Amino acid sequence: MNRLLKLLLPVLILAVGFGVFQYLKQTRPDRPVTETRERVWRVALEPVEPRALAPMLELYGQVENPDLLRAAASASAQVARVLVREGERVVPGQLLLELDPRDLVSGLARTGAQVAELEAQLESERNGQESDRAALEQERRLLELSEDAVARAKSLTRRQVGSQNDLDLAEQDLARQRLAVSERSMRIADYPARRRALEARLQQARAEYEEARLAFARSRVVAPYAGVVSAVEVAVGDQVKTDEVLLSLYPLAGLEVRARIPAPYQAELAAALRNAGSLPASALVDGGRVGLVLERLAGEADPSGIDGLFTLTEGAEWLRIGQMLTLRLERPLRESVVAVPFAAVYGGNRVYTFVDGRMRAVAVRTLGSWFAPDGEERLLVAAPELVSGDPLVVTHMPNAVDGLRVEAHQ
C-alpha cells in the first residue's frame, strides 16, 4: 500500500498542476490588439509656377582697363612738380606733372642751331653754283686764249722766231687752264649730289629739332581725359631717364571686367553672343549695383574655359583697376521653367509633389541658378510633368521616397 502511494503521489501532483495551469490559461484576460499606424511627416508646400526665366551663372572677375595710360619722361630731366596723388580723379586738360624745362632748353637750342647752320650751307651752295657757272664761262674763254697762245708759240718756234722756253710756258699755262675748266665743270656737275646731301642733313636736323621741341612740350604731363590716377612713380627732385614711367592714368569710361567662363558654358554663351550681340550681368560693390554687359570672348581659350570681357553700363564710380568682383551673368531665356528652392531638389534630377497625402517623385532637368528680386537664390528646373498649381514639397526630407506619407503645414 505504501509502495503504491509512493508511485501515485508524483503523478497526482503533476495532474493537479496541469489542471491548475489549464484553469489559469482559460480564465486569463484577453490582450488588447495593438494597431500599427503609418507615420506622417509634416512638410511645407509651394505651388508650381512655370515661367520664362533666364538662368544665372555666377562668375568671378577682375577689373582692368585696356586704355591704361603710362606717362613716360620725354627726356632725361629732373622732376619739377607733381600735382596729383594716387587715386585722385582728374579732368581733361589738368596739369598732372612737370619736368624742369631748363633740362630741355639746351637740346632745343642746339638742334635749332644745327638747322640754321645747314640752311645757311645749303644757301651758300646755291650761290656757289651760280658763281661756278659764271666762272666756267670765263675759264673756257681763258682756255681758248691759252690754246691760241700755244699755237702762236709753236708757229714762231718753227720759224725760229720764238724760243722753246716761250712755247713751254704757253703749254704749261694751257695745261693749268684745262685743269681749272675740268675742276670747275666737275664741281658744277657734283652740285646736285652736294645739295641732296645737305638737304638730307637738314631734314635730319629738323627732325631732331622737332623731337626736342616735342620733348619740351611733353615735359608738362596733362590729362587727356577724365579719369583716375592709378599710380605715381616719382617725386619732386627725382632725376628721371628718357622713357621712364612717371605716372599711370586710366579713364572711367574704359573700365572692363575679365571673368573666367567655365568650359561647359562656353558654347552656349558663344552662340548667345552671336544671336543677341550681348548678355546682361550685374554685381554688388559696397552696397551699390554695378551693371555690366558681356560683349565678347577672349581670343584664346584652354581646357578649363575662356575669359569673358564685360563692359560697364552703370556703377563705374565704385570700381578700381585690379578689384575682384562676383558677377551674375544672365544666360539665354528659357520657357516654362520653375524656380524652386535648393532643398526641393534631390540628387540633382528629381523633385516631389504632394498627391493624396503622399510624395510623388517627378524627374526634372536642372538649368542653373536664378536670383529672385529679394536676392534669394533658387534653382531653375524643367519637367513636362510639372503643371501650374501643383503642390511642390519644398521641405528637404532625408528619407524621401516615392509614396512617403506627408501632411502639409503652413
Side-chain angles (χ1 to χ4, degrees), residues 121-133:
Q121 289 182 13
L122 188 59
E123 181 65 24
S124 175
E125 282 291 337
R126 293 194 189 99
N127 295 335
Q129 176 71 355
E130 295 177 1
S131 176
D132 286 341
R133 286 175 177 172

Side-chain angles (χ1 to χ4, degrees), residues 45-359:
L45 304 178
E46 184 177 292
V48 170
E49 186 183 354
R51 291 179 288 171
L53 298 173
M56 293 188 178
L57 181 62
E58 193 167 73
L59 304 172
Y60 302 95
Q62 187 174 21
V63 180
E64 59 182 37
N65 196 317
D67 298 324
L68 178 66
L69 169 67
R70 293 180 177 87
S74 58
S76 179
Q78 191 177 74
V79 178
R81 291 194 294 169
V82 178
L83 305 175
V84 291
R85 292 291 179 264
E86 181 178 347
E88 186 175 338
R89 294 193 179 188
V90 297
V91 298
Q94 179 178 341
L95 181 62
L96 310 178
L97 183 145
E98 186 177 14
L99 300 178
D100 193 337
R102 294 172 296 179
D103 292 327
L104 293 94
V105 168
S106 58
L108 189 64
R110 182 179 61 257
T111 54
Q114 290 174 351
V115 170
E117 179 183 2
L118 289 170
E119 287 176 344
Q121 289 182 13
L122 188 59
E123 181 65 24
S124 175
E125 282 291 337
R126 293 194 189 99
N127 295 335
Q129 176 71 355
E130 295 177 1
S131 176
D132 286 341
R133 286 175 177 172
L136 179 60
E137 295 297 325
Q138 298 298 324
E139 288 176 350
R140 284 175 176 171
R141 177 61 181 162
L142 293 175
L143 178 60
E144 293 175 356
L145 295 176
S146 297
E147 290 173 345
D148 293 341
V150 169
R152 286 194 300 272
K154 287 181 178 180
S155 177
L156 294 174
T157 302
R158 282 195 301 269
R159 290 182 294 171
Q160 297 183 353
V161 176
S163 66
Q164 183 65 37
N165 185 47
D166 293 337
L167 177 59
D168 293 340
L169 291 175
E171 288 178 344
Q172 291 177 4
D173 185 62
L174 176 62
R176 283 194 295 268
Q177 197 58 41
R178 285 176 176 171
L179 180 61
V181 170
S182 176
E183 289 178 350
R184 186 73 67 178
S185 298
M186 182 176 294
R187 179 174 173 78
I188 292 173
D190 193 47
Y191 168 72
R194 295 197 310 275
R195 184 192 63 194
R196 286 194 299 270
L198 283 174
E199 288 175 346
R201 290 172 57 193
L202 177 60
Q203 185 176 2
Q204 180 179 357
R206 284 173 175 168
E208 292 175 355
Y209 174 75
E210 286 300 319
E211 288 180 0
R213 190 176 64 83
L214 188 59
F216 182 82
R218 289 178 176 173
S219 65
R220 293 168 52 88
V221 180
V222 177
Y225 44 65
V228 176
V229 178
S230 60
V232 178
E233 306 291 346
V234 296
V236 174
D238 285 352
Q239 185 69 32
V240 295
K241 299 178 181 179
T242 304
D243 296 332
E244 183 176 343
V245 176
L246 305 174
L247 56 83
S248 300
L249 176 73
Y250 65 87
L252 289 175
L255 288 179
E256 289 185 347
V257 176
R258 180 183 293 268
R260 192 68 172 174
I261 296 174
Y265 302 97
Q266 181 176 336
E268 173 191 322
L269 296 179
L273 285 176
R274 286 194 297 269
N275 295 331
S278 63
L279 293 174
S282 63
L284 291 178
V285 178
D286 299 332
R289 182 182 183 277
V290 176
L292 306 101
V293 172
L294 175 62
E295 287 193 338
R296 63 191 190 279
L297 301 177
E300 296 182 358
D302 57 40
S304 67
I306 191 170
D307 286 346
L309 299 171
F310 296 77
T311 58
L312 296 169
T313 57
E314 62 174 314
E317 65 275 9
W318 300 94
L319 304 179
R320 292 293 184 271
I321 285 182
Q323 188 172 352
M324 298 298 297
L325 296 180
T326 301
L327 312 179
R328 293 174 181 173
L329 172 64
E330 291 187 17
R331 294 162 56 194
L333 195 69
R334 304 296 180 91
E335 298 290 340
S336 300
V337 295
V338 182
V340 301
F342 281 86
V345 181
Y346 296 81
N349 60 358
R350 71 183 185 279
V351 297
Y352 288 92
T353 57
F354 181 79
V355 179
D356 297 331
R358 296 187 181 276
M359 294 175 65

